[in-house]
Amino acid sequence: DEVRIVVIGKTGVGKSATANSIIGEPYFTSRPGAASVTVNCEKKVVNILGKKVSIVDTPGIFDTRVSSETLEIEIRKCIAMTLPGPHAVLFVLNLNDRYTDNDYKVYKYFLEHFGDKILNYGIVVFTNADAIQRANQSLDNFLENSPETLKDVLKFFGNRKIAFNNIDKSQTRIQVQCLITIIDALKQGNHNDPYYEDKNFRRVDELLRKVMQGEEKHRKTEEQLDEAKLEIKKLNEYCRIRDEDLKALKLEWPRINAAKDLPQPENYCEKEDKSADT
């Protein structure tokens, strides 16, 4: 069983920290602050609860160091890294931050670039779950007074949500189990289309397959070339030895030729026998 996940959100909400909590190791670079750490797509494949889980961390939206054109290309590449498509898209928000227009713009950004269909695969992940614990409230109660725009986003995502505490590692396992349960239910609900895809992804998939086929042909050609090089090396070694033998023979030839002119040795045993008869 396989689960493919893409993590999205604006700069500084804890995307990479959440991705690290899910895979159980500090693979993705993460540190507190308003500046985005992730600039390029990063992917990690791990085994979680007997499932092969692929998770892709994306650049932070509204990162001032990256142009909008570059960001769009990179985000599309991130989602394409889950070919044939992600089963879940995690929309990350920070419970400690006031929900603003920029947060809503992140949601609108993905809606505009990937279409309404992506809503069927979205899950809202709230980081800094310790804020709920300090308030001694449930997530639903904590969000009661949230802005209407956030309530709309949750509604559009089918009210699929979960809170993550990325600091307290003792909570990691149960959080990940809950997330995988939500994703499994999501896959069942989307049984006809268990993962998000579009024609661009299919085109990329076809190109990747062609590249892989080309690489396989290239690999076989390289192997044949290596075999030919080995045979040539053996032939060159044979020729080298033959040339050395020929040179040695040429050096010995005068002595061998001179030896042919020597008188034939007499058979002294035969002479002695004849003398005895006389």
Side-chain angles (χ1 to χ4, degrees):
D1 195 8
E2 184 179 10
V3 176
R4 298 183 295 274
I5 303 170
V6 174
V7 186
I8 64 174
K10 74 175 185 180
T11 300
V13 295
K15 292 184 298 79
S16 300
T18 300
N20 286 334
S21 292
I22 293 171
I23 65 175
E25 60 177 286
Y27 177 80
F28 302 103
T29 304
S30 172
R31 61 173 177 264
S36 177
V37 177
T38 305
V39 179
N40 302 110
C41 303
E42 293 183 277
K43 179 180 178 180
K44 179 70 173 177
V45 180
V46 295
N47 186 284
I48 300 176
L49 303 174
K51 300 177 185 291
K52 177 184 176 183
V53 177
S54 303
I55 186 164
V56 177
D57 190 18
T58 63
I61 308 299
F62 306 131
D63 184 349
T64 55
R65 296 174 300 170
V66 181
S67 68
S68 58
E69 293 81 7
T70 301
L71 178 63
E72 180 179 350
I73 293 171
E74 196 65 25
I75 293 293
R76 286 191 175 276
K77 186 170 75 174
C78 289
I79 296 182
M81 286 173 71
T82 64
L83 284 171
H87 296 105
V89 179
L90 307 186
F91 182 61
V92 182
L93 296 171
N94 189 335
L95 282 173
N96 282 338
D97 293 342
R98 186 170 61 88
Y99 189 79
T100 66
D101 288 342
N102 275 346
D103 293 294
Y104 189 69
K105 286 178 181 178
V106 173
Y107 159 76
K108 294 294 290 183
Y109 175 91
F110 279 90
L111 203 60
E112 290 170 2
H113 287 81
F114 298 100
D116 293 347
K117 187 179 178 182
I118 202 168
L119 297 176
N120 298 329
Y121 306 89
I123 301 171
V124 180
V125 177
F126 292 97
T127 59
N128 288 299
D130 55 303
I132 301 173
Q133 296 160 0
R134 288 195 304 269
N136 196 26
Q137 290 181 308
S138 67
L139 181 57
D140 286 329
N141 290 336
F142 192 86
L143 296 172
E144 277 184 358
N145 297 321
S146 59
E148 290 301 317
T149 49
L150 175 55
K151 292 179 180 178
D152 287 342
V153 169
L154 289 169
K155 181 180 178 181
F156 293 143
F157 280 125
N159 204 38
R160 293 181 295 271
K161 60 185 181 298
I162 187 172
F164 258 69
N165 186 331
N166 294 318
I167 303 299
D168 186 354
K169 302 305 179 185
S170 67
Q171 301 184 40
T172 299
R173 183 175 178 81
I174 187 65
Q175 291 173 165
V176 173
Q177 287 177 338
C178 290
L179 177 63
I180 295 297
T181 299
I182 294 173
I183 295 175
D184 284 341
L186 190 60
K187 289 171 66 177
Q188 290 179 3
N190 295 326
H191 61 278
N192 291 328
D193 297 295
Y195 52 83
Y196 174 82
E197 67 170 340
D198 65 17
K199 60 182 180 181
N200 292 322
F201 293 166
R202 286 194 292 272
R203 191 178 302 120
V204 171
D205 192 24
E206 291 172 1
L207 288 173
L208 285 175
R209 290 180 187 276
K210 289 181 180 179
V211 169
M212 291 175 66
Q213 290 173 356
E215 288 178 347
E216 178 64 17
K217 290 181 180 178
H218 179 71
R219 184 186 64 79
K220 290 182 178 179
T221 302
E222 287 291 325
E223 289 178 354
Q224 292 171 347
L225 184 60
D226 289 340
E227 290 176 1
K229 287 180 179 179
L230 182 60
E231 290 299 319
I232 291 173
K233 185 177 180 180
K234 290 179 179 179
L235 181 60
N236 287 337
E237 180 65 13
Y238 168 78
C239 292
R240 184 187 65 79
I241 294 173
R242 191 194 63 176
D243 288 344
E244 289 179 355
D245 290 343
L246 186 59
K247 288 179 182 178
L249 182 61
K250 286 181 178 180
L251 291 174
E252 289 291 317
W253 186 252
R255 186 182 65 80
I256 295 172
N257 195 44
K260 289 181 179 179
D261 297 330
L262 292 175
Q264 293 293 328
E266 296 182 5
N267 192 332
Y268 294 102
C269 292
E270 185 178 346
K271 283 185 176 182
E272 289 177 358
D273 291 341
K274 288 181 179 180
S275 299
D277 292 340
T278 304

